[in-house]
Amino acid sequence: MIEDASVSQDPGVQSVASESKTTLSLGFPWLRTILLVSYGLSCQFLLYSPFLVVFFVQEKHLTEKQVYEDIFPIWTYSYLINVILIGMLTEVVGYRFSLAAGVLGNIATYIILLTTDNYFLLQFEQATVSLASASIIIFSSFVFRAVPRIHYQKVTSAVRSSYLVASVTSSLLGQLLVKLGVSLNALMLITCIICIMGGLLIPFMRALPQPPSENVQLEFKLKIRKKIASIFSELLQTYKISSVLLWSLWMGVAVAIHHLVLTYWQSLLFELSPTSSKNYNGIVSALAYFLAAISALSSSQLEFKLKSVIPVIQVVCPLFSCGLLVAMSFSTSYVIACIGFVAYHISFEFAMPIAQSDVATKMKSERFGIVFSVNTALSILVQVIVQAIIGKGALKLDMRNQFLSFAILLGTLGILTFIWTTYSKIRAKNILYSQVEDQLENPT
């Protein structure tokens, strides 16, 4: 039975209300936010990222087909496993251990890329970088443990904007350094040093103290098996909330397509501008992330209007993105394809802070790590299925047709979401009318 959190009157709602009164007097958590934003900057400051396909082709002597058929898909498959493992690990040993594991994954990635041309190790490197990517999901959920609930929307937007700002500055700087003749190996070495510096912030990142309660005290006395059972029980209760379930399914598809677009956009543009001296991927990436950062911050201004705008966002964003990916797939112009990528990125980053914040706010438990890990695992499962169907194992689609298939999936998502929200509204009205009729027929 699916219930709506907006009509649920349980002790969790009352605790949120009391928490809001308490945190209002504490003010905005500036120091915690600055620390979170700083770590977010270090995670996404990737000087070499816009030139990754060029790096594999020119420095590692692979073909473009080998890159998108044999190298990049390893990230998708290993990411699914890493997300599940690191999500469960977080609930058992804590957030900071998982964040440290992500930093170590990044360091291993840079060591492999800087020291070897071995084909197997280059594939294994995609597994280590997927571990780092999985830890970013844990970091995003840790934000909800580090700040009061009343500030979720603003801090979530700030942290997500830090990702985008880091991507902007690193892309621009990377483009400049490449034009000045700095090698891609040097860019990776600089990125590795910044990653290590970010890792040094982990010991200072702490969750808010939880008020002592009988449940918390008993939790420490439970055996691991009972604790895992408790986690799954709370997980099931969370997904009984209709808005959480809808957002989770929505993100499952939207995030999967987004990961695929971010993985292969360079391959699509490589066909139009195959050499690093003639392409401007760094500038394109910087522009996309800069405008997306503004978009993510602007979404925080809607926190008091979320109830009315969420159904619109859930339908319009995937349909709009569908049109942009169709344009990219048919484009023969490097400039038009770049504009499509930038606009698509803006649309996605506008919706994501709203989705994450709304899910966290509607949750009755504090199991943010496992819930967001499950949502991410769902998106990666979708990504794995799509990757397997369109890749060399099945349909063997070329890059343009792959982007067309991404567009079709997003268009389908928008249509199905419209059907879901329309049905939910009609059902809610019918329930309300029946309650009113019952009250009129049986006045008390």
Side-chain angles (χ1 to χ4, degrees), residues 26 84 92-93 120 158 189-190 254 266 315 352 365 385 389 401 425:
L26 297 178
I84 295 173
V92 176
V93 300
F120 170 76
L189 181 59
I190 298 171
Q266 292 185 47
V315 174
M352 280 306 294
S365 71
I385 294 172
I389 293 174
N401 284 322
K425 287 184 178 180

Side-chain angles (χ1 to χ4, degrees), residues 15 29 37 39 41 45 74 148 151 163 170 175 192 196 213 243 269 285 287 293 306 312 334 343 351 400 403 430:
S15 66
V37 166
Y39 182 80
L41 289 169
F45 197 87
I74 301 298
H151 299 302
Y163 299 160
S170 62
Q175 181 80 63
C192 182
I196 294 173
S213 66
S243 56
L269 296 185
S285 179
L287 183 62
L306 285 182
V312 178
Y334 180 84
R400 292 182 179 276
F403 268 74
N430 289 337

Side-chain angles (χ1 to χ4, degrees), residues 54-73:
V54 175
F55 174 81
F56 279 119
V57 173
Q58 294 184 356
E59 300 292 336
K60 301 303 178 182
H61 312 295
L62 304 178
T63 66
E64 180 197 357
K65 190 174 183 180
Q66 285 177 315
V67 173
Y68 71 76
E69 285 190 354
D70 298 329
I71 300 295
F72 286 163

Side-chain angles (χ1 to χ4, degrees), residues 137-171:
I137 302 300
I138 297 302
F139 172 64
S140 297
S141 61
F142 172 74
V143 170
F144 302 116
R145 282 287 187 92
V147 298
R149 185 180 293 260
I150 194 173
H151 299 302
Y152 280 176
Q153 180 67 42
K154 288 184 178 180
V155 178
T156 300
S157 295
V159 171
R160 194 157 191 91
S161 294
S162 74
Y163 299 160
L164 304 176
V165 169
S167 297
V168 170
T169 54
S170 62
S171 296

